[in-house]
Amino acid sequence: MRLAVVGAGAVGRSVVDLAGEYGHEVVAVADSSSAVVADGVDSRHSGVDSDAVVARKAERGIVGDDDPEDALAADYDVLIEATPTTLGDAEPGFSHVRTALERDRHAVLANKGPVAERFGDLRGLVDDSDGEIRFEATVGGAIPAVSTVEDIEPGHVTAVRGVLNGTANFILTRMAAEGLDYEHVLAEAQDLGVAEADPSFDVDGTDAALKCVILANVLSFGAADDPADAREFTLADADVEGIRDVPGSALRLAAEDGRTVRLIGEATGETVRVAPRLVPENGTLAVSGTQNIVQIETTHAGRLNISGRGAGGPETASAVLGDVGRLE
Amino acid sequence: MRLAVVGAGAVGRSVVDLAGEYGHEVVAVADSSSAVVADGVDSRHSGVDSDAVVARKAERGIVGDDDPEDALAADYDVLIEATPTTLGDAEPGFSHVRTALERDRHAVLANKGPVAERFGDLRGLVDDSDGEIRFEATVGGAIPAVSTVEDIEPGHVTAVRGVLNGTANFILTRMAAEGLDYEHVLAEAQDLGVAEADPSFDVDGTDAALKCVILANVLSFGAADDPADAREFTLADADVEGIRDVPGSALRLAAEDGRTVRLIGEATGETVRVAPRLVPENGTLAVSGTQNIVQIETTHAGRLNISGRGAGGPETASAVLGDVGRLE
């Protein structure tokens, strides 16, 4: 497949870097201010020079001398939407996806915004298009959360819960392990690059909540006999509490009882909740560090647990490229 | 889809029982000596009476007054092969699958024999047929092991390992928890119905080895550029050691070091090994009781762990019916 990669952050750059290994070629790359579009002159090498693009971004801060609109207008099969997650109208990511679908191309998203905040609008675009959308990379990084849930008979998944934010999980793991308080461990996480300079998206539970909203939309629309009747979720429907107010004393108290604290998100076809919870300290949900885990409750197959790396350029890119493979 | 269910043990009966919930109808059921075939007279209810079939099997030991050959000759879309696993020539299961494929129908297997012992022959039948085969239910019960591995880019899975036999795992879990020896816990497991009167298939590691052989075949054929060059595995290629000789003292010694013992199977595209191994006692591989876990090593996405119920009628039936859904 020919890919147009929109967004040149860690995920976009990894997709550009790895696409060839998956048998795909990158025909265009765009960041917020620039683009590079393959000219298709040499039919054997009609993709962009991946190494050059990544190097140019590192050295000059741009991917090429073209305009981002040129990437959206290029001749691609799949648009990879890897721009930063935005809330509300989920722009400009939503418009990138709309442009692809209106051109009857496919879109694969790593950007959670459109899938969490405008799921109904996306479904409408897909209904009117020959293209499809997929969004495995929006939930759980390398964990095939969305495809595993979708693979289970519609209506046979009653809930999905888990540890879905590696930053918050790293902080709680270190607080428990070292007996340190939140501020101290946050500073350590920022030094390591595990937490951002402004960590609120992660530590306030927003990132985990967006992922749960996406899962709730998948469950809701999957179970509905008529999609027109399916309830659509957005971030506003989520009941969210982060980890800023978890004191070190709570973790010590929990440990005396063989428990610990994890930021747990849960989605059903009816509700979305994110909050710190007590869990058995050696139990399944007590994954460590930046690991994620997704726990799927099913009607006939009991509970499935899938854990793995929740984030990272190559990890998320493998989820994106896995989705491209499912389109073929 | 119209299903012909061959095999009326726990798995076959559960498939008959649950097929309707998945939108499929059962048009024939066979056990080793009898069959029932829907007569198709009433077009709205052209399937068999599932409750009656299950009741008849319980009361009379047969499923109907027809001959098993009538089920194989019936008008179905998918043959469900759920007869007991046999080794070597994998008969009669292999012939049931061959009959379906030669009639250009699909076959979904819960029976490990043909997939572990005659994978190349199965591939040959599929090459000459309009039908496909699927075999999720042969590995890991409710865990979507095969489909998750298949969903990852060919060649990007370097190894699959795990706890794949619930009987052996239950015995080791109880030995560690109670400080009892193997013979004592085996008797308990047999009383509970977790171990068979002749437990050798489970405790000698044969069942786990067959599952690893199946995974090795999936990895080997998945990674090969030309299937004709792919190495085919059978049980004879597996290096297998069971749990009969694990003394209670080994578990006590392990516990002093924060470890325990689990029967671990591992498959790569080159090797298959099953043996008791020391694992961290609170680690990912130390699942408890009859749980199974599959650990997938990938090139770009790190390690994925999937755990869940490894066996059971409804659990295995959900894997079978999930495969039917993937055929559509």
Side-chain angles (χ1 to χ4, degrees):
Chain A
M1 293 267 201
R2 295 163 304 169
L3 313 181
V5 181
V6 182
V11 174
R13 291 195 306 271
S14 282
V15 173
V16 170
D17 188 39
L18 295 177
E21 279 194 46
Y22 289 72
H24 306 299
E25 76 181 345
V26 177
V27 298
V29 184
D31 63 17
S32 54
S33 63
S34 73
V36 56
V37 180
D39 59 17
V41 171
D42 178 348
S43 65
R44 272 181 307 156
H45 300 285
S46 53
V48 302
D49 181 335
S50 298
D51 294 340
V53 171
V54 174
R56 193 177 303 135
K57 178 70 177 174
E59 292 159 27
R60 297 170 53 194
I62 59 170
V63 294
D65 301 316
D66 292 317
D67 191 82
E69 292 303 311
D70 299 325
L72 295 172
D75 198 21
Y76 58 83
D77 302 307
V78 188
L79 185 142
I80 310 298
E81 220 310 317
T83 63
T85 292
T86 54
L87 309 181
D89 65 7
E91 294 291 9
F94 182 86
S95 285
H96 298 158
V97 173
R98 184 182 60 216
T99 300
L101 290 169
E102 285 177 347
R103 297 180 67 204
D104 288 321
R105 315 298 167 103
H106 303 300
V108 169
L109 294 93
N111 176 354
K112 294 178 279 290
V115 195
E117 299 278 69
R118 298 184 66 177
F119 195 78
D121 288 343
L122 284 183
R123 300 250 338 185
L125 290 172
V126 169
D127 286 344
D128 292 338
S129 174
D130 291 341
E132 296 172 44
I133 64 165
R134 298 200 61 85
F135 45 90
E136 182 66 71
T138 62
V139 182
I143 297 173
V146 175
S147 61
T148 301
V149 168
E150 288 183 334
D151 235 16
I152 297 170
E153 190 70 9
H156 283 204
V157 176
T158 52
V160 184
R161 77 180 67 82
V163 168
L164 298 166
N165 182 274
T167 302
N169 202 64
F170 174 90
I171 291 171
L172 291 169
T173 304
R174 296 291 296 151
M175 286 175 70
E178 304 292 333
L180 299 167
D181 68 16
Y182 167 80
E183 293 293 341
H184 191 128
V185 176
L186 171 61
E188 176 191 350
Q190 288 168 321
D191 286 343
L192 289 169
V194 171
E196 312 265 351
D198 175 0
S200 48
F201 200 69
D202 296 317
V203 301
D204 287 342
T206 309
D207 176 75
L210 288 169
K211 292 162 180 172
C212 289
V213 166
I214 289 169
L215 290 168
N217 279 324
V218 172
L219 293 184
S220 172
F221 280 74
D225 292 320
D226 182 350
D229 298 333
R231 174 175 174 185
E232 179 182 348
F233 289 86
T234 67
L235 183 61
D237 296 309
D239 188 351
V240 188
E241 184 187 336
I243 65 165
R244 284 186 202 269
D245 296 333
V246 176
S249 58
L251 285 145
R252 283 189 288 280
L253 200 65
E256 285 168 24
D257 199 37
R259 286 173 166 61
T260 189
V261 176
R262 290 289 185 270
L263 185 66
I264 302 295
E266 182 173 74
T268 68
E270 309 284 321
T271 61
V272 178
R273 288 198 187 91
V274 175
R277 293 198 193 286
L278 286 173
V279 299
E281 74 183 336
N282 293 312
T284 310
L285 287 174
V287 290
S288 296
T290 55
Q291 285 271 93
N292 279 190
I293 183 163
V294 175
Q295 200 169 67
I296 304 171
E297 299 288 354
T298 76
T299 321
H300 297 300
R303 173 183 291 174
L304 284 176
N305 305 293
I306 318 180
S307 65
R309 294 183 188 171
E315 290 84 354
T316 311
S318 75
V320 167
L321 292 162
D323 264 351
V324 174
R326 293 184 191 100
L327 289 169
E328 296 184 291
Chain B
M1 294 266 201
R2 296 163 304 170
L3 313 182
V5 180
V6 182
V11 174
R13 292 196 304 272
S14 284
V15 173
V16 170
D17 188 39
L18 295 178
E21 279 194 46
Y22 288 72
H24 305 300
E25 75 180 346
V26 178
V27 300
V29 184
D31 63 16
S32 52
S33 62
S34 72
V36 57
V37 181
D39 58 17
V41 171
D42 179 346
S43 65
R44 272 180 307 155
H45 300 285
S46 53
V48 302
D49 180 336
S50 298
D51 294 341
V53 171
V54 174
R56 193 178 302 135
K57 178 70 177 176
E59 291 158 29
R60 297 170 53 193
I62 60 170
V63 293
D65 300 315
D66 293 318
D67 191 81
E69 292 303 311
D70 299 325
L72 295 174
D75 199 19
Y76 59 82
D77 302 305
V78 188
L79 183 142
I80 309 299
E81 220 310 316
T83 63
T85 292
T86 55
L87 308 182
D89 65 8
E91 294 291 7
F94 183 86
S95 285
H96 297 158
V97 173
R98 185 182 59 217
T99 302
L101 291 168
E102 284 176 348
R103 298 179 67 203
D104 288 323
R105 315 298 168 105
H106 304 299
V108 169
L109 294 93
N111 176 354
K112 294 178 277 290
V115 194
E117 299 278 68
R118 297 183 67 178
F119 196 77
D121 290 341
L122 284 182
R123 300 255 331 190
L125 290 172
V126 169
D127 286 344
D128 292 337
S129 174
D130 291 341
E132 296 172 45
I133 64 166
R134 300 200 61 86
F135 45 90
E136 182 65 72
T138 63
V139 181
I143 298 172
V146 175
S147 62
T148 301
V149 168
E150 288 183 335
D151 235 17
I152 297 169
E153 189 70 9
H156 282 205
V157 176
T158 53
V160 184
R161 77 181 67 82
V163 169
L164 298 167
N165 182 272
T167 302
N169 202 63
F170 175 90
I171 291 171
L172 290 170
T173 303
R174 297 290 297 152
M175 285 174 71
E178 304 292 330
L180 299 167
D181 68 15
Y182 167 79
E183 292 294 341
H184 192 129
V185 177
L186 171 61
E188 175 191 352
Q190 287 168 322
D191 286 344
L192 288 169
V194 170
E196 312 264 351
D198 176 1
S200 48
F201 199 70
D202 296 317
V203 302
D204 287 342
T206 307
D207 176 75
L210 288 169
K211 293 162 179 173
C212 289
V213 167
I214 290 169
L215 290 168
N217 279 324
V218 172
L219 293 185
S220 173
F221 281 74
D225 292 320
D226 183 350
D229 297 334
R231 174 174 174 185
E232 179 183 347
F233 289 84
T234 68
L235 183 61
D237 296 309
D239 188 349
V240 187
E241 184 188 337
I243 65 166
R244 285 188 201 267
D245 296 332
V246 176
S249 58
L251 286 144
R252 283 190 288 279
L253 200 64
E256 285 168 26
D257 199 36
R259 285 173 168 60
T260 189
V261 177
R262 290 289 184 270
L263 185 66
I264 303 294
E266 183 174 75
T268 68
E270 310 283 321
T271 60
V272 178
R273 289 198 187 92
V274 176
R277 292 197 195 288
L278 286 173
V279 298
E281 75 183 335
N282 293 313
T284 310
L285 286 176
V287 290
S288 296
T290 55
Q291 285 271 94
N292 279 190
I293 183 163
V294 175
Q295 200 171 67
I296 304 171
E297 299 289 353
T298 75
T299 320
H300 297 300
R303 173 182 290 174
L304 284 175
N305 305 293
I306 320 180
S307 65
R309 294 182 188 173
E315 291 83 354
T316 310
S318 75
V320 167
L321 292 162
D323 264 350
V324 175
R326 292 183 192 102
L327 290 169
E328 297 183 293

